[in-house]
Amino acid sequence: MNNLTLKQMRYFEALARHGHFGRAADVCAISQPALSMQIKDLEGSLGTALFERGARSVRLTSFGMEFARRVRDILRGVDELADLARASQDRLVGRLRMGVIPTVAPYLLPSLIADLSRNYPDLDLHLRETMTQNLLNEIAEGRLDTAIVALPVSEPSLSEVALFSETFILVRPASDANKPVPNRETLRELRLLLLEEGHCFRDQALSFCNLPSTQPRELLDGSSLTTLVQMVSAGIGVTLIPQMAVPVETRSARVSLARFAAPEPERTIGMIWRKTSPFALQLGQIAEVVRQSAETLRAQSL
Amino acid sequence: MNNLTLKQMRYFEALARHGHFGRAADVCAISQPALSMQIKDLEGSLGTALFERGARSVRLTSFGMEFARRVRDILRGVDELADLARASQDRLVGRLRMGVIPTVAPYLLPSLIADLSRNYPDLDLHLRETMTQNLLNEIAEGRLDTAIVALPVSEPSLSEVALFSETFILVRPASDANKPVPNRETLRELRLLLLEEGHCFRDQALSFCNLPSTQPRELLDGSSLTTLVQMVSAGIGVTLIPQMAVPVETRSARVSLARFAAPEPERTIGMIWRKTSPFALQLGQIAEVVRQSAETLRAQSL
DNA sequence: TCAATGCGATAAGTTTTTCTGATGAATAAT
DNA sequence: ATTATTCATCAGAAAAACTTATCGCATTGA
C-alpha cells in the first residue's frame, strides 16, 4: 500500500508545475510514457485522482493542490539531506545558488565572483538577479540557497546578517550642480525618477520623501538605474542611486552628484538564508567574503 | 548524484533505531544482505559514513544522528501523504491510531468503541493505553493519530479540544462514612494513596493538596485505580478517583464516597492531534462522538 | 589456544521494477 | 476532412533490488 516513491513525487511535482506530460517528462529526462505510468501508479496507490485530464490541459484536482504543497516540502527536505552531507564534509564544495537584487548585482558581482572563486575554488556558483519578493519565494522553495537583499526582511524562518550600509546619492542634471541640495521635503517638489514597482530601492526612496509607495504616480519609472541616470542627464528630472552604483553609473553620464544633509538616507544590504539550511555555518563564512568584497569595492571608489 | 530513495531512508531509519543489521532487516521484511547493500549505496551517494561498524556494534556517526533526525521528519511527512489521500475520501476510513491515558481508558473505552464502530463501520481502530508523556511522544513521531488526555497540554504543534470535565471523588474506608469531609488542608493529614510517578492524575491530586509533585513521599503508590480502591477498602488509607471511575471501581469494594466542598477539584479531559494531521477535520467529528459517548456514560451513572 | 558463534560484507543468479520506442485514441486546430 | 497535438497503452529491453549461499573477522567459551 505505502509504496510511494521519491521518484514518483519528483515526477508528480514536475507535472504539477508544467501541466504537460511531455514537457514534464523532458524536465525529468525520461520518456513521456514513463512519466504517464508513474503518475498512474501514484494515483492508483493513493486511490484518488491527482490531475484532471482535459482534452488539451492537465490541471491539479483540489486534492492534488494540497498534495503538491506537501510533496514540495518533502522534496525540499530530501534535497537538503544531500546538501547536508556535502556540508558535513567541512568544506563548502559543489553548487551554491545565490540570488542578488538588481540594485546591487551589477556593482558587487564582478568583484564578488572573483573573490569567491579565489576562496572556494571548488564552488559551483549559480547566480540569479531578481527582485526581493522573487528571491524570498525561491529561497523558501529551496530553489536558492541564499540571497543578498536590503534588510530587514523579518521572516522568522530566515537568518539574516548585515553586510554593509550605503547612503543614497542625489543625481541631478549637470546644470543643477550649483543649486542648493534639497532636503526630504523639497525633494518632493522636483521631478523624481524611480525604478518601477517591486524594487525595494524604489520603496526606500519613496519612504525617505515620506511618500506612500502605493500612491499612483504620474512620474516616469525606469527599469534600471542606468536608465534613470540617462534620463537625468537628458534633463528629464532627478533621481537617487545607492552609493555603490555611483562609479559605474556616472562614468559616462553628464550629471552632477550631491549628498544629502544629515541624516542621510541609507540602506543596509545583508545576506539571508533558511535557518534550516545545512549550509548555515558555511554561509556565515561566505557572508564574510561578501562583506570584504564590498569593503574593497568601496575603498577603491573613494 | 541525487538518487536517495525512500526505501533507503526507511531501511536507514530501521537500522538507526535497532543498531543491528539482522534485526533491522527483519523489521523491514527483507534479507540482511539487501539491507547492507542499500545502506552501502546510501552512504556511497552521500559520500559520508552514516554508521560506525564496531566489532559487535553498529552506531550512528554524529553526521548520522543529524541525518536520522531529518529522515524521520521526511518519513513522517510521507506517511501523512498517504493518510491525506485516505482523508480526502471525505469519509474517515482505514486505520485510526488513538491513545488514551490509563485513568480514562478502562471506563470510557467500552462504550466509546461501540459508539465509534457504529458511526464509522469502516474504521480500523488501534488503541493504546499509556501515560501522557508517552502519548505525546508517539503523536509527535506520527505513531499515533490522536490521544485522549487531561488538558491542558500546551504543545504549540498540537490541536486540543475539551471533551468533558469531571470532579475528583474522595474514597474512604466504609467506617469513615460519617466523619466530616476533609478540605484540601486536612486532606494532607490523612494517609493519601496515589498512582505511581508519571500519571497525570497523581500530579493533579497532589496539586489539589498543594503538595509538590517531586517531593519524595513515603506513602504507598499504586499502579491502577483499582489497586488504590482495594487498599482503601483494606483500611490502609484514603484516595481520590475521577468521577468516571466511580461506578466501576466501587462496585465491589466496601468503601464510602464523598464529594469535596466547593471548589471541588476537577480535571478536563480532551482530545489532541497534530495540527498538520491530514485528519484534522475528521478528528473534530471523532471528538464529537467521544464527547457524546462520555455524556451518555455520565447520564447512566447518576 | 582453538573451535564455535554472531555478525556484517560479498557474490551469483533471479525476480521485480522501470524505462524506451512504437503505436493508439481522443480532441482541437487548419 | 485532415492534420497536429497530447496522453494512454503495449511489448520488449534495461536497470534495480532481492534472495540464497558463502566468506571473513572478531569475540566467546572451553
Side-chain angles (χ1 to χ4, degrees):
Chain A
M1 233 294 131
N2 204 15
N3 25 0
L4 308 191
T5 68
L6 283 181
K7 210 180 279 196
Q8 288 174 339
M9 292 188 207
R10 290 221 145 85
Y11 293 175
F12 164 78
E13 206 280 329
L15 182 54
R17 181 180 296 274
H18 292 97
H20 187 289
F21 280 74
R23 228 76 54 71
D26 278 354
V27 170
C28 299
I30 56 166
S31 66
Q32 170 263 316
L35 187 126
S36 280
M37 287 190 297
Q38 289 299 332
I39 297 293
K40 207 181 98 174
D41 283 358
L42 179 59
E43 291 182 323
S45 67
L46 292 174
T48 316
L50 291 167
F51 295 97
E52 211 179 301
R53 277 87 156 167
R56 193 143 299 236
S57 69
V58 176
R59 279 195 315 283
L60 283 168
T61 61
S62 71
F63 167 66
M65 311 269 268
E66 171 64 10
F67 194 81
R69 217 180 49 70
R70 288 169 177 258
V71 163
R72 281 190 248 273
D73 280 355
I74 290 171
L75 292 179
R76 198 161 50 66
V78 172
D79 291 342
E80 283 188 1
L81 274 186
D83 293 345
L84 177 72
R86 284 219 322 276
S88 78
Q89 240 87 331
D90 81 24
R91 208 152 164 51
L92 187 55
V93 295
R95 183 194 56 180
L96 176 70
R97 296 161 304 178
M98 175 183 284
V100 188
I101 53 174
T103 50
V104 168
Y107 320 107
L108 179 61
L109 285 190
S111 54
L112 176 59
I113 291 172
D115 290 352
L116 277 178
S117 357
R118 187 159 355 98
N119 284 279
Y120 299 90
D122 294 324
L123 200 62
D124 174 19
L125 191 61
H126 290 222
L127 287 164
R128 164 147 174 71
E129 178 199 321
T130 186
M131 295 184 292
T132 303
Q133 195 49 55
N134 295 325
L135 294 177
L136 294 182
N137 291 340
E138 292 182 25
I139 285 190
E141 291 169 23
R143 295 169 54 201
L144 281 179
D145 298 311
T146 180
I148 295 177
V149 299
L151 300 185
V153 170
S154 306
E155 260 291 327
S157 65
L158 300 180
S159 293
E160 46 183 90
V161 302
L163 295 170
F164 58 89
S165 294
E166 56 177 357
T167 57
F168 297 176
I169 306 293
L170 177 67
V171 184
R172 294 186 289 185
S175 55
D176 289 12
N178 295 319
K179 295 192 183 169
V181 175
N183 59 26
R184 52 205 301 171
E185 273 73 36
T186 56
L187 184 57
R188 258 185 278 175
E189 324 294 308
L190 302 177
R191 192 178 211 179
L192 182 61
L193 307 176
L194 290 178
L195 289 176
E196 54 203 9
E197 286 261 77
H199 287 276
C200 57
F201 186 67
R202 170 199 175 92
D203 299 331
Q204 288 147 2
L206 285 173
S207 124
F208 172 61
C209 314
N210 273 320
L211 289 172
S213 58
T214 49
Q215 171 189 297
R217 292 164 39 84
E218 83 292 6
L219 303 180
L220 294 164
D221 292 338
S223 66
S224 76
L225 296 180
T226 307
T227 311
L228 293 182
V229 173
Q230 292 306 323
M231 288 164 78
V232 170
S233 90
I236 297 174
V238 307
T239 193
L240 305 182
I241 63 176
Q243 201 169 11
M244 180 174 270
V246 168
V248 172
E249 298 300 353
T250 63
R251 190 176 298 142
S252 61
R254 297 188 313 117
V255 293
S256 69
L257 302 174
R259 299 187 68 134
F260 289 96
E264 286 185 86
E266 64 168 1
R267 67 175 182 178
T268 300
I269 299 298
M271 211 168 112
I272 57 177
W273 57 83
R274 261 170 290 120
K275 279 181 179 157
T276 60
S277 167
F279 298 128
L281 232 71
Q282 285 85 344
L283 286 171
Q285 301 171 19
I286 297 276
E288 193 47 40
V289 175
V290 181
R291 188 177 291 128
Q292 284 171 13
S293 212
E295 186 55 47
T296 310
L297 204 61
R298 164 180 315 231
Q300 286 172 352
S301 76
L302 291 182
Chain B
M1 233 287 131
N2 204 16
N3 27 0
L4 309 190
T5 68
L6 283 181
K7 209 179 280 194
Q8 288 174 339
M9 293 188 204
R10 292 221 144 86
Y11 293 174
F12 164 79
E13 205 281 328
L15 182 54
R17 181 180 297 272
H18 292 96
H20 187 291
F21 279 74
R23 228 79 51 72
D26 278 354
V27 170
C28 299
I30 54 167
S31 66
Q32 170 263 316
L35 188 126
S36 281
M37 287 190 298
Q38 290 298 332
I39 298 292
K40 210 180 96 173
D41 283 359
L42 179 58
E43 292 183 323
S45 68
L46 292 174
T48 317
L50 291 167
F51 295 97
E52 212 176 302
R53 277 88 156 165
R56 194 144 299 238
S57 68
V58 177
R59 280 195 314 284
L60 282 169
T61 61
S62 70
F63 167 66
M65 311 268 269
E66 171 63 11
F67 194 80
R69 217 180 48 69
R70 287 169 179 258
V71 163
R72 281 190 248 272
D73 279 355
I74 289 171
L75 291 180
R76 200 161 49 67
V78 172
D79 291 342
E80 283 189 0
L81 273 187
D83 293 344
L84 176 72
R86 284 220 322 277
S88 78
Q89 241 90 330
D90 79 24
R91 215 161 156 48
L92 188 54
V93 296
R95 183 195 58 183
L96 176 71
R97 296 161 304 180
M98 175 183 282
V100 187
I101 54 173
T103 50
V104 167
Y107 320 107
L108 178 62
L109 284 190
S111 55
L112 177 58
I113 292 173
D115 290 351
L116 277 178
S117 358
R118 188 160 354 100
N119 284 280
Y120 299 90
D122 294 322
L123 200 62
D124 174 18
L125 192 60
H126 290 223
L127 287 165
R128 167 149 172 67
E129 178 198 321
T130 186
M131 294 183 295
T132 304
Q133 195 50 55
N134 296 326
L135 293 177
L136 293 182
N137 292 339
E138 293 182 26
I139 285 191
E141 290 168 26
R143 294 169 53 200
L144 280 179
D145 299 307
T146 181
I148 294 177
V149 299
L151 301 186
V153 170
S154 306
E155 262 290 328
S157 66
L158 300 181
S159 292
E160 47 182 272
V161 302
L163 295 171
F164 57 90
S165 293
E166 56 177 357
T167 57
F168 298 177
I169 306 291
L170 177 66
V171 183
R172 294 185 290 187
S175 55
D176 290 12
N178 295 319
K179 295 193 183 169
V181 175
N183 59 26
R184 49 204 303 172
E185 273 73 36
T186 55
L187 185 57
R188 260 184 277 175
E189 322 294 308
L190 302 176
R191 194 177 211 181
L192 182 61
L193 308 176
L194 290 178
L195 290 177
E196 53 203 11
E197 285 262 81
H199 285 277
C200 56
F201 187 67
R202 170 198 175 92
D203 299 331
Q204 288 148 3
L206 285 172
S207 124
F208 173 62
C209 315
N210 272 322
L211 289 171
S213 59
T214 50
Q215 172 187 295
R217 293 164 39 87
E218 83 293 5
L219 302 179
L220 295 164
D221 291 336
S223 63
S224 74
L225 295 179
T226 306
T227 312
L228 293 181
V229 173
Q230 293 306 323
M231 290 165 78
V232 171
S233 91
I236 297 176
V238 307
T239 192
L240 305 183
I241 64 175
Q243 202 168 8
M244 180 174 271
V246 168
V248 173
E249 298 301 352
T250 64
R251 188 175 302 145
S252 61
R254 297 188 312 118
V255 293
S256 69
L257 303 174
R259 300 187 67 133
F260 290 96
E264 288 184 83
E266 63 168 2
R267 66 175 182 176
T268 300
I269 299 298
M271 210 169 114
I272 57 176
W273 58 82
R274 262 171 288 120
K275 281 182 179 156
T276 61
S277 168
F279 298 130
L281 231 70
Q282 284 85 346
L283 286 170
Q285 300 170 20
I286 297 277
E288 192 49 44
V289 175
V290 180
R291 187 176 294 130
Q292 284 172 15
S293 212
E295 186 53 46
T296 309
L297 203 61
R298 164 177 317 228
Q300 286 172 353
S301 75
L302 289 183

